[in-house]
Amino acid sequence: MNDQQKYSDSHINHLVGALLAADDLPPIVQAGNPVLRAVAQPFDGQLDPQELSALIDLMRRTMQAAPGVGLAAPQVGIPLQLAVLEDQYEISPDITAAKNRHQLDFFAILNPSYEQLGPELASHYEGCLSMSGWQAVVERPALVSLKYDDVAGNTLTRHFSGWQARIVQHETDHLSGTLYIDKAKIRSLSNNAEFALHHSDPDLSGSREILGF
Ligand code: ZN
């Protein structure tokens, strides 16, 4: 498949125009849809600043309504290297400590890439709005450097640790057609009800024993 031809600028414009013209928030595309497995197009001005701003606002509202802490453009059917991130949820002190989870102010990233910093890895259950109802354990770098363009066209580099680093990696991975399940300990896969019953302890030793991962 030639992604370059498949996702031309005019195609992306058409898709975004349809999303922005709709009255409702867009449905979140589910695993199995080809757009989630394609390499998204780098942003190079396909949308004018007003359209880009409106798309980011729509994605933010869609993420909040889900609710989630990140949303990549392919998840609303747009094959463009754009994602939004925000974590303002109240989390219990135990979970905050166990997952090194801290609030993350809203921001949008274009054309992102990340690199692992240091040797430390962290394993936690994570989910995806495009694999609704499921979670699995993913081992990821605990500290990353994220390079991205902001909406004004500035190229920035920021470091993220803990749960923020996980969000950054998860959303950036979406833009190269990678879903968390590709990196997960597959035997850890749990639906949300079973997760609540058996796997909500951030110490995974019990889950490892029960599920054999
Ligand atoms: Zn996701």
Side-chain angles (χ1 to χ4, degrees), residues 24-211:
D24 296 326
L25 294 176
I28 295 177
V29 171
Q30 294 298 300
N33 189 302
V35 73
L36 292 173
R37 290 312 200 170
V39 176
Q41 293 293 293
F43 179 76
D44 64 358
Q46 295 96 329
L47 307 174
D48 67 37
Q50 290 77 14
E51 280 175 316
L52 179 60
S53 173
L55 176 59
I56 288 169
D57 180 65
L58 183 69
M59 286 173 60
R60 183 182 190 180
R61 288 185 284 121
T62 303
M63 170 181 69
Q64 290 174 336
V69 294
L71 189 71
Q75 294 183 273
V76 289
I78 307 296
L80 195 63
Q81 289 192 24
L82 164 66
V84 295
L85 308 89
E86 181 178 35
D87 186 0
Q88 302 289 348
Y89 296 102
E90 289 294 331
I91 306 297
S92 74
D94 304 10
I95 299 291
T96 294
K99 297 186 174 180
N100 191 12
R101 181 170 173 175
H102 301 280
Q103 295 197 330
L104 178 65
D105 289 338
F106 177 82
F107 68 119
I109 57 177
L110 292 155
N111 306 331
S113 61
Y114 65 84
E115 286 180 13
Q116 179 172 352
L117 297 175
E120 193 187 345
L121 301 173
S123 291
H124 291 291
Y125 268 94
E126 72 181 68
C128 177
L129 297 174
S130 292
M131 295 189 61
S132 184
W134 296 92
Q135 298 184 53
V137 171
V138 187
E139 183 178 67
R140 293 187 181 275
L143 181 63
V144 296
S145 169
L146 177 73
K147 186 177 176 190
Y148 65 98
D149 298 331
D150 69 10
V151 288
N154 305 303
T155 300
L156 305 174
T157 301
R158 287 172 64 185
H159 293 179
F160 295 91
S161 60
W163 200 255
Q164 295 182 351
R166 184 169 296 267
I167 299 169
V168 158
Q169 292 170 69
H170 180 116
E171 299 311 326
T172 302
D173 287 352
H174 267 300
L175 304 178
S176 58
T178 297
L179 298 175
Y180 81 91
I181 198 70
D182 303 340
K183 298 180 168 181
K185 308 282 185 194
I186 201 67
R187 287 189 64 107
S188 71
L189 185 67
S190 176
N191 93 354
N192 283 348
E194 296 295 339
F195 174 84
L197 282 173
H198 302 294
H199 307 297
S200 58
D201 187 344
D203 176 353
L204 296 176
S205 54
S207 297
R208 289 186 202 279
E209 195 172 307
I210 294 166
L211 299 178

